[in-house]
Amino acid sequence: MPIPLSTKEDDDEYASSTTKALLPFDTDYSSTQKPSSRSTVLIISLVLATCIALFAAIAFGFLFFTVPDSSTSSSIASSTSTNIEYSRSLTKLKHPVVLLISSDGFRFGYQYKTDVPSINRLIQNGTEAELGLIPVFPTLTFPNHYSIVTGLYPAYHGIINNYFTDPETGDRFSMASHEPKWWLGEPLWETVVNQGLKASTYFWPGSEVHKGSWNCPKDYCMFYNESVPFEERVDTVLKYFDLPASEIPSFMTLYFEDPDHQGHKVGPDDPQITEAIVEVDKLIGRLILGLEQRGVFEDVNIILLGDHGMVGTCDRKLIFLDDLAKWIEIPKEWVQSYSPLLAIRPPPGYSSKDVVAKMNEGLKSGNVENGQYLTVYLKEELPSRLHYSSSYRIPPIIGLIAEGFKVEQKRSKRQECGGAHGYDNAFFSMRTIFFAHGPRFGRGCKVPSFENIQIYNLVTTILGIQGASNNGSVSFPQGVLLPSH
Ligand SMILES: [Zn+2]
C-alpha cells in the first residue's frame, strides 16, 4: 500500500546597520590646539580630504559600473554576446541526461544556514535562480511537484490540492491516488518515453500513474515508500550510470522528504533544519562522488530544486471560522481544506457570492480575532497571477491567509508552534531553490527568479525532444541554457 508523500501538509528575516562616524572631528578640540600643532592638523586635514575625495570617486565608479543590468547579468545569451559560451561536449555519455532532484520544502535561503560544500559546488560551477524558484499557488507539495514536471498550473494539471473532492463524481483524491483520471497534462517521464527515450523515477508525485507510454516499469519506477533510506535512493540512481550507454535513462528523478519533514514540526528557524540541510548536502556529495567515480559528473545535467518554502506558525496566529457565526455559519462539511489553503464548497442552494460577502463582512468588522489576516474570494475573483480558477475541481470559495497565519474551525487547547506552506506564492518565504549544473548550464551564472512551470520546457530543450503544450514560455530555456553547437 503506497504511503502518501508528506503527510503533514495541513498541520502543518534581518540586519541592523550601524552608522559609524568616519571622522570623529571635534571643533572644540581644534580650538584648543597649540600653535605648534596647527601645521600637523593642516596636513592631517589635507590627507583626510584627499582620502574622502578618492573614496567618493571610487564609490561613484563602483555604483556606476554595478547598476543592475538585466541585459548583462541575467541572460546567458546576452552576457556572452561578445564571447559566446556554448554548451560543453559530452565526454563519456552518448546522449544528454537530466537528473531532476527535489528536496522537499527547501526554502530559499536555507543554503546560507551552514556550510554546504557539495551544494556550493553545483552553485559555483552552475546556474542559480538568484533569489530562488517561485512555486505555483497553492504552495503545496503535490500541486507543485506536478507543475514542475508538466509545465502546467494546478488548474490545468488537475492536482489542485494535496487532497480534494471531485464535485461531479464525489470521488476523493488523496496523495495515494494513482488513477490516471486525476493526473492531467503530460509529465516529463511520459514525454520522454513517448519519444523513444528512457526515463526513471525514484519517487515523484504522479510517477506511479500509468499514462501514455509510461507504465511505471519495474526497476525504473519506484513505488513511494518513505522508509527507503536517502542513501539507497542516491545509490540506485548512480547504478543507472553503470548500464550500457544506450540503456542509461535520459531523464531521472530523485526525491527527498527533507527538510520539509522537519520544517512542519519546528518551523524554518531551528537547529533541526540546519541539521537536515547538512544531511541533504551530504547526499548531494555522495551523488557527486558517485558520478565522478563513473566519469560522468560533468556530463549530467543536475537540477536541484524544491517544491516550496516554509514559514513559522504559532497558535496565537489563528483565525476561527466559528467566530464568523454572527454573520454566517460555515459548517465543517463545507470546508475542503483549512490551511494555508482555505477552500470552501457550500452545498447546492447556497450562493457562493453571498457566503463570500458575509464572511468578508465578519472578517473586516474588527470583531473577529485576526480577521484582518484572511480575505475570502470567489475563485474567479482571485488575483489572476495565481492562475487558480480554471478548473471545476477548485471549490468556488478560496481564502487567502496572511503569511504565518492558520485557519481552524474552532478554538482548541492545542498550543504548538511549527511550520507551514501553501500560502500565496508571492511570499518570499514560500520560495525554494533552483541550482543547475552540467553541460548545458553556464558556470557561476545567476538568472532572475522564475516560476517552476518553466522547468518542463527547460528539460525538453536539454533532451532535444518535442514537449507537450504547457503554461511555460517557449523562449525561456534560451535565457537559462547555454546554446548548443
Ligand atoms: Zn513539499
Side-chain angles (χ1 to χ4, degrees):
M1 187 63 191
I3 304 156
L5 296 179
S6 253
T7 53
K8 291 194 68 186
E9 296 283 6
D10 212 34
D11 288 352
D12 328 333
E13 317 140 296
Y14 279 94
S16 68
S17 60
T18 53
T19 311
K20 287 181 185 169
L22 288 171
L23 302 171
F25 266 115
D26 182 345
T27 48
D28 289 333
Y29 177 75
S30 62
S31 67
T32 59
Q33 295 295 309
K34 290 174 192 165
S36 61
S37 64
R38 277 195 190 137
S39 58
T40 315
V41 170
L42 188 66
I43 291 165
I44 291 171
S45 302
L46 278 168
V47 169
L48 277 169
T50 312
C51 289
I52 292 164
L54 266 172
F55 178 78
I58 293 166
F60 179 77
F62 179 79
L63 281 171
F64 184 81
F65 289 109
T66 58
V67 166
D69 178 352
S70 61
S71 68
T72 56
S73 65
S74 63
S75 162
I76 304 295
S78 54
S79 68
T80 55
S81 57
T82 51
N83 181 21
I84 293 175
E85 187 187 354
Y86 287 102
S87 60
R88 298 178 289 279
S89 303
L90 300 179
T91 57
K92 191 166 176 192
L93 292 177
K94 302 296 181 212
H95 56 79
V97 171
V98 174
L99 171 54
L100 183 64
I101 310 169
S102 167
S103 174
D104 202 309
F106 196 122
R107 172 173 161 167
F108 178 78
Y110 278 179
Q111 71 272 30
Y112 306 124
K113 281 182 178 282
T114 183
D115 285 338
V116 286
S118 298
I119 290 174
N120 276 335
R121 274 189 72 180
L122 301 183
I123 297 173
Q124 285 159 10
N125 299 301
T127 297
E128 172 188 19
E130 195 164 16
L131 291 172
L133 179 65
I134 304 170
V136 295
F137 178 82
T139 54
L140 297 167
T141 299
F142 267 54
N144 273 278
H145 275 97
Y146 206 52
S147 284
I148 291 167
V149 295
T150 58
L152 297 169
Y153 291 110
Y156 305 98
H157 67 49
I159 309 302
I160 56 134
N161 199 337
N162 286 339
Y163 50 88
F164 57 90
T165 301
D166 185 308
E168 291 181 355
T169 62
D171 294 348
R172 289 280 294 166
F173 171 84
S174 78
M175 292 183 279
S177 299
H178 297 135
E179 301 89 346
K181 66 175 181 183
W182 298 111
W183 306 80
L184 313 179
E186 186 178 297
L188 280 165
W189 43 81
E190 183 187 354
T191 304
V192 167
V193 297
N194 280 351
Q195 302 201 24
L197 302 179
K198 293 189 186 318
S200 68
T201 53
Y202 211 121
F203 304 161
W204 203 278
S207 61
E208 298 102 327
V209 180
H210 292 208
K211 277 176 68 67
S213 323
W214 177 254
N215 56 2
C216 189
K218 188 174 175 292
D219 298 331
Y220 290 90
C221 169
M222 305 301 161
F223 240 73
Y224 186 65
N225 175 358
E226 65 182 332
S227 65
V228 179
F230 296 162
E231 290 79 6
E232 190 180 323
R233 306 179 194 188
V234 171
D235 295 349
T236 302
V237 165
L238 286 170
K239 282 190 188 124
Y240 292 133
F241 291 95
D242 297 331
L243 292 166
S246 63
E247 298 287 308
I248 299 174
S250 297
F251 174 71
M252 310 178 188
T253 72
L254 178 57
Y255 170 82
F256 305 121
E257 288 84 352
D258 294 356
D260 182 76
H261 173 71
Q262 294 82 359
H264 281 292
K265 288 196 280 191
V266 297
D269 296 306
D270 184 283
Q272 281 190 44
I273 299 295
T274 311
E275 285 167 29
I277 297 305
V278 168
E279 292 307 312
V280 171
D281 187 66
K282 282 185 194 162
L283 293 164
I284 299 304
R286 186 182 185 100
L287 175 73
I288 293 174
L289 179 66
L291 293 172
E292 283 181 327
Q293 286 168 341
R294 290 162 172 84
V296 296
F297 174 53
E298 291 297 338
D299 278 3
V300 179
N301 293 285
I302 299 173
I303 301 175
L304 172 61
L305 47 69
D307 51 346
H308 51 73
M310 186 67 69
V311 70
T313 56
C314 266
D315 280 351
R316 61 183 184 81
K317 290 188 176 179
L318 290 171
I319 302 145
F320 302 102
L321 293 182
D322 281 359
D323 288 358
L324 289 169
K326 212 170 101 187
W327 292 270
I328 182 166
E329 280 189 33
I330 308 286
K332 67 177 194 301
E333 292 73 27
W334 295 14
V335 183
Q336 296 227 342
S337 71
Y338 285 90
S339 228
L341 178 68
L342 177 63
I344 298 172
R345 186 184 296 282
Y350 285 84
S351 154
S352 295
K353 198 174 171 183
D354 287 349
V355 174
V356 166
K358 284 177 182 157
M359 287 182 76
N360 281 332
E361 190 189 330
L363 291 165
K364 304 287 174 265
S365 67
N367 295 317
V368 170
E369 190 181 350
N370 294 323
Q372 70 271 38
Y373 297 110
L374 169 64
T375 306
V376 183
Y377 295 84
L378 284 173
K379 66 177 177 182
E380 296 81 9
E381 292 172 2
L382 281 167
S384 59
R385 62 183 174 76
L386 298 175
H387 306 277
Y388 200 64
S389 62
S390 306
S391 168
Y392 74 97
R393 292 178 181 176
I394 300 172
I397 301 172
I398 299 294
L400 292 187
I401 305 171
E403 191 174 23
F405 281 79
K406 291 200 288 186
V407 172
E408 294 184 357
Q409 186 70 40
K410 58 180 190 296
R411 284 163 210 283
S412 71
K413 292 205 173 85
R414 210 151 51 96
Q415 291 291 329
E416 58 186 32
C417 291
H421 55 86
Y423 300 93
D424 189 332
N425 63 347
F427 294 144
F428 198 73
S429 57
M430 294 297 108
R431 284 200 193 180
T432 180
I433 51 166
F434 175 90
F435 308 137
H437 180 282
R440 290 300 302 272
F441 295 98
R443 296 196 189 277
C445 292
K446 313 278 184 211
V447 295
S449 295
F450 57 90
E451 285 189 311
N452 65 18
I453 47 129
Q454 304 288 2
I455 289 168
Y456 180 90
N457 288 343
L458 205 61
V459 174
T460 56
T461 305
I462 297 171
L463 298 180
I465 57 175
Q466 180 65 44
S469 63
N470 64 82
N471 296 127
S473 151
V474 176
S475 61
F476 176 80
Q478 292 163 23
V480 176
L481 299 178
L482 296 172
S484 55
H485 289 281

